Amino acid sequence: MITSVLRFLEVSKPIFNLFVGINASDINYSAGRYDTSVKPPLDVGFEGIGDVVALGLSASAHYSVGQAVAYVKAGSFAEYTVVPAKEAVPLPSVKPEFLTLMVSGATAYISLKNLGGLSEGKKVLVTAAAGGTGQFAVQLAKKAKCHVIGTCSSDEKSGFLKSIGCDHVINYKTENVESVLRKDYPEGVDVVYESVGGKMFDLAVNSLATKGRLIVIGFIAGYQNPTGTHPIKAEFLPAKLLKKSASVQGFFLNHYFSEYKMALQHLLKMYEKGELVCEVDLGDLSPEGKFIGLESVFRAVDYMYMGKNIGKIVVELPHSVNSKL
């Protein structure tokens, strides 16, 4: 379905999407949890990468037709998306690896930079470490010379995490995470990059060291519930934090867009220099095969919530040359 092609302003340009990213929060947005005023039908999908097919008057001063760009904007689950020129990110080519950085990579980079207090020797726990954003938290913490512990759910994910430098991988399907942390890190961990929620959040709080920091970037365990949340032992949280002089802080990328372009430029340079692995999961191992076309978006979302992906889930939108504007 072609959407929004004819309503672009002078400062905008339509993007011919070739790859779109899947995020755990896609179902939060579609459920109206981010903006209760938004009602169906609504544009969904947060990020895409493709070619410029037309330009507004002001946009033509900075971009050209056929140029590869990426963007973060609601409405990426479409063949075409209209994007304000100031929100587009020029790229050397259209590669799905670049798309992994737009939300997942930027979230890890900005949150750890602002809230993590990373330094050499710090012990960093990353939950869902083999996922879209977890992979970057692991690598960026290693770049800061930290000791990184990652949780995951399979031997395949464990192997991937070891390949990107994770010091200690815990497969929660075969190991008791809390017992392992208590045994191997009796003084606790200094930083937690937490995206699971529920019991994993409670476990992470219990595992904090004195002056430890827990960064909440999501709570995927609860997103499919009617309320979008999962119960935690909140009544004990103030006492636990006080006892350890510890902290819990949330991170929502939308509140840090003033730092976004700088962060993205840094991450792009790291990738182009071979200093950063950008793992993409296009669904090759999913039951029905690779995620191709908008009709496969729902399969890609289900695949993520089954915990099957390694790296960032990306859907390919193939088009013939004749389908461009």
Side-chain angles (χ1 to χ4, degrees):
M1 179 180 180
I2 299 176
T3 63
S4 305
V5 176
L6 300 178
R7 57 183 174 84
F8 59 91
L9 303 175
E10 289 187 352
V11 294
S12 301
K13 58 180 179 294
I15 308 300
F16 184 65
N17 291 317
L18 295 172
F19 295 97
V20 294
I22 302 295
N23 293 282
S25 51
D26 286 329
I27 67 171
N28 285 334
Y29 186 78
S30 61
R33 293 176 188 142
Y34 289 165
D35 185 351
T36 56
S37 67
V38 176
K39 304 296 181 185
L42 69 160
D43 294 331
V44 292
F46 292 135
E47 56 188 339
I49 181 173
D51 296 327
V52 176
V53 293
L55 295 162
L57 294 179
S58 299
S60 61
H62 305 284
Y63 296 92
S64 58
V65 171
Q67 185 172 0
V69 295
Y71 63 89
V72 174
K73 179 181 181 294
S76 69
F77 293 165
E79 292 180 356
Y80 297 86
T81 303
V82 176
V83 179
K86 65 181 181 180
E87 296 178 14
V89 178
L91 296 171
S93 61
V94 175
K95 294 174 64 175
E97 286 79 7
F98 291 131
L99 191 55
T100 68
L101 302 174
M102 299 301 294
V103 172
S104 300
T107 294
Y109 181 89
I110 299 173
S111 65
L112 289 173
K113 177 175 176 287
N114 284 275
L115 310 178
L118 302 185
S119 60
E120 185 173 357
K122 289 283 183 72
K123 296 181 287 292
V124 179
L125 171 64
V126 181
T127 63
T133 190
Q135 63 171 322
F136 295 110
V138 168
Q139 294 178 79
L140 293 170
K142 285 300 297 179
K143 295 289 182 186
K145 299 182 179 179
C146 297
H147 176 88
V148 182
I149 309 126
T151 68
C152 67
S153 59
S154 70
D155 291 338
E156 292 77 16
K157 293 183 180 185
S158 177
F160 167 68
L161 289 173
K162 291 175 183 176
S163 76
I164 60 173
C166 193
D167 298 291
H168 190 165
V169 180
I170 306 173
N171 181 344
Y172 64 81
K173 294 288 189 180
T174 59
E175 301 176 87
N176 184 297
V177 179
E178 191 161 19
S179 297
V180 172
L181 290 173
R182 191 182 301 116
K183 175 178 176 292
D184 294 344
Y185 306 94
E187 296 182 1
V189 296
D190 301 296
V191 181
V192 182
Y193 187 82
E194 219 296 270
S195 61
V196 177
K199 292 181 179 179
M200 186 64 79
F201 173 85
D202 291 330
L203 181 158
V205 170
N206 293 339
S207 301
L208 284 173
T210 299
K211 297 183 181 180
R213 308 178 183 203
L214 193 156
I215 305 168
V216 178
I217 59 101
F219 34 94
I220 190 172
Y223 290 170
Q224 291 178 298
N225 294 336
T227 61
T229 60
H230 201 284
I232 61 170
K233 296 176 181 178
E235 66 269 25
F236 302 114
L237 186 58
K240 290 178 179 180
L241 298 179
L242 178 62
K243 183 178 178 180
K244 296 180 177 181
S245 293
S247 64
V248 175
Q249 189 162 351
F251 177 89
F252 190 47
L253 184 61
N254 289 22
H255 299 149
Y256 289 82
F257 272 142
S258 62
E259 302 179 40
Y260 180 75
K261 287 208 170 182
M262 177 278 297
L264 197 57
Q265 289 171 0
H266 184 80
L267 290 168
L268 286 168
K269 287 179 182 177
M270 288 181 69
Y271 173 69
E272 290 173 338
K273 290 179 180 179
E275 298 174 355
L276 196 64
V277 173
C278 298
E279 188 69 14
V280 174
D281 193 331
L282 288 162
D284 296 277
L285 299 180
S286 71
E288 297 179 50
K290 193 173 180 180
F291 304 130
I292 298 179
L294 291 173
E295 63 274 14
S296 70
V297 166
F298 77 95
R299 285 201 301 115
V301 173
D302 283 345
Y303 186 71
M304 175 174 52
Y305 277 93
M306 290 188 290
K308 300 296 185 181
N309 61 296
I310 297 179
K312 175 80 174 185
I313 300 178
V314 173
V315 174
E316 183 178 357
L317 305 185
H319 297 290
S320 67
V321 175
N322 293 331
S323 70
K324 292 190 176 184
L325 283 177

